[in-house]
Amino acid sequence: MISLVSADWRLGNIDTVLFDKDGTFIDLHYFWGKMSEMRVLAIINKYGLESGLFAELCLKLGYNVSNGRMLTDGITALYSRPIIIEIFSKDLKAYGVDISKSELENIFDNVNNEFYKEMVKYTKPIDSAINFIRALRKNGIKTGVVTSDSKESTMLTISHLGWENLFDVVIGRESSKETKESGVPVKLALENINANPLNTVMIGDAPMDYIAAQNAGVEKTILVATGQIDKKSLSVTSNFVVNSLDEVAIM
C-alpha cells in the first residue's frame, strides 16, 4: 500500500490507480483538435455545407480552431461519445442537416479509421503523468486505463510509445454497452485486475471521471488540470485536485 500526497491533501491505503487517457496522460488539445477538424470536414463534404462553417462547427464539437484549444465547457470535455453524438446531431439540424444518431455514428467511425492511420502524428504524452505512472509501477501498484476513446485507439497509442508494461488493464468504449459515467467500465477494470474500490484512486481531468469513479464505488478521485478544465473549476467537483501529477508524491 502507498499514500498519495500533495501540498493540500493525503490519500492512504492505495494499491490500485486507474487513469483516464486524454487530458490525463495524453495531450487532448492536439489529439482531439485534429479529430474534431476531420469530423467537421467529413460532414461539410457529405452534406455540401459552406466551407466557411468549418470553424463554427468545430466550436459545436468543443474545439476552437483559432487558438488550437479544446473548450472547457465544450461537449467533448463534458460527455462521452454517445452523448456527444446525440447533442451534435441536434446541433446540425440548425444547419439544414437532418442526420440520425446512427448516421452520425457511422461518420465518426469512418473518420476514426482514417485518423488512426496517422494517429501517432497527433499523440503527445503528458510527461509528468507518464513519470508518475512509472513511479507507481516501481512501487508495485496496479494500474489501468478507463477511457471513452476506443480500446483499439488506446492500445495503438500504448504500443507506439512502448508503454505495454505500464498498465495492467485497458477499458475502452467498446468494452461495455454502458457509458463511462455509468461506472460500469470502471467496475470492469477493477474486476479484471481483482482490485478493491476502497483501495483504488481514479485519476482524470474532468468531472466525468469523478462521476464514473463514484458510480463504481471508488470514493477517491484526483482531478488534474492538464486537460481542458482549470484547477479552480475542478475543485468544485473533487477535494483532490492538482495542476499536474508532478505535484503528487508517492509515499
Side-chain angles (χ1 to χ4, degrees):
M1 296 282 189
I2 61 167
S3 293
L4 299 178
V5 183
S6 80
D8 302 313
W9 45 259
R10 181 186 189 97
L11 297 173
N13 299 318
I14 304 302
D15 64 11
T16 304
V17 181
L18 300 179
F19 292 85
D20 168 59
K21 177 171 75 75
D22 299 312
T24 302
F25 65 88
I26 294 295
D27 184 331
L28 64 78
H29 298 284
Y30 199 60
F31 186 95
W32 285 104
K34 182 61 178 179
M35 179 75 84
S36 298
E37 289 181 349
M38 290 176 66
R39 287 172 172 175
V40 167
L41 284 173
I43 289 165
I44 286 174
N45 292 335
K46 182 176 177 64
Y47 293 96
L49 299 179
E50 294 292 332
S51 60
L53 292 174
F54 174 73
E56 187 175 337
L57 289 174
C58 283
L59 280 174
K60 293 293 184 181
L61 280 176
Y63 177 59
N64 188 333
V65 174
S66 64
N67 64 9
R69 302 283 293 179
M70 300 299 294
L71 302 177
T72 297
D73 57 353
I75 59 175
T76 302
L78 299 176
Y79 304 115
S80 57
R81 189 185 189 195
I83 300 175
I84 291 169
I85 286 173
E86 181 177 355
I87 294 171
F88 193 46
S89 63
K90 292 177 181 177
D91 287 338
L92 287 171
K93 286 181 171 58
Y95 298 88
V97 178
D98 190 10
I99 186 171
S100 69
K101 289 188 285 186
S102 62
E103 288 171 328
L104 187 55
E105 178 89 35
N106 287 335
I107 290 173
F108 276 26
D109 285 342
N110 290 336
V111 168
N112 286 358
N113 290 336
E114 291 303 310
F115 181 82
Y116 294 152
K117 292 175 183 177
E118 296 187 315
M119 185 183 67
V120 294
K121 289 183 180 179
Y122 313 115
T123 302
K124 292 183 178 179
I126 298 173
D127 292 335
S128 57
I130 299 305
N131 291 337
F132 180 77
I133 296 167
R134 288 193 172 113
L136 289 175
R137 300 296 284 180
K138 288 181 180 178
N139 280 272
I141 300 303
K142 291 183 283 189
T143 57
V145 180
V146 181
T147 176
S148 295
D149 195 12
S150 72
K151 181 174 180 179
E152 178 187 16
S153 167
T154 304
M155 294 305 298
L156 284 170
T157 298
I158 288 171
S159 175
H160 170 68
L161 294 168
W163 293 344
E164 291 91 344
N165 65 335
L166 292 187
F167 302 105
D168 297 301
V169 61
V170 174
I171 301 294
R173 69 167 178 268
E174 70 272 47
S175 302
S176 169
K177 294 181 180 179
E178 303 297 328
T179 64
K180 184 176 178 179
E181 297 98 315
S182 71
V184 172
V186 174
K187 288 180 181 178
L188 285 174
L190 295 173
E191 291 169 3
N192 189 284
I193 55 178
N194 194 28
N196 185 338
L198 297 179
N199 301 121
T200 299
V201 168
M202 181 75 190
I203 299 182
D205 70 305
M208 181 198 308
D209 302 306
Y210 176 88
I211 293 168
Q214 291 290 302
N215 286 336
V218 175
E219 298 176 353
K220 304 167 207 145
T221 301
I222 298 172
L223 295 181
V224 59
T226 48
Q228 294 158 267
I229 306 175
D230 61 43
K231 183 179 178 181
K232 182 178 179 181
S233 299
L234 291 173
S235 297
V236 174
T237 300
S238 176
N239 293 323
F240 314 114
V241 180
V242 290
N243 287 305
S244 65
L245 285 172
D246 55 13
E247 295 180 0
V248 181
I250 300 171
M251 297 183 176

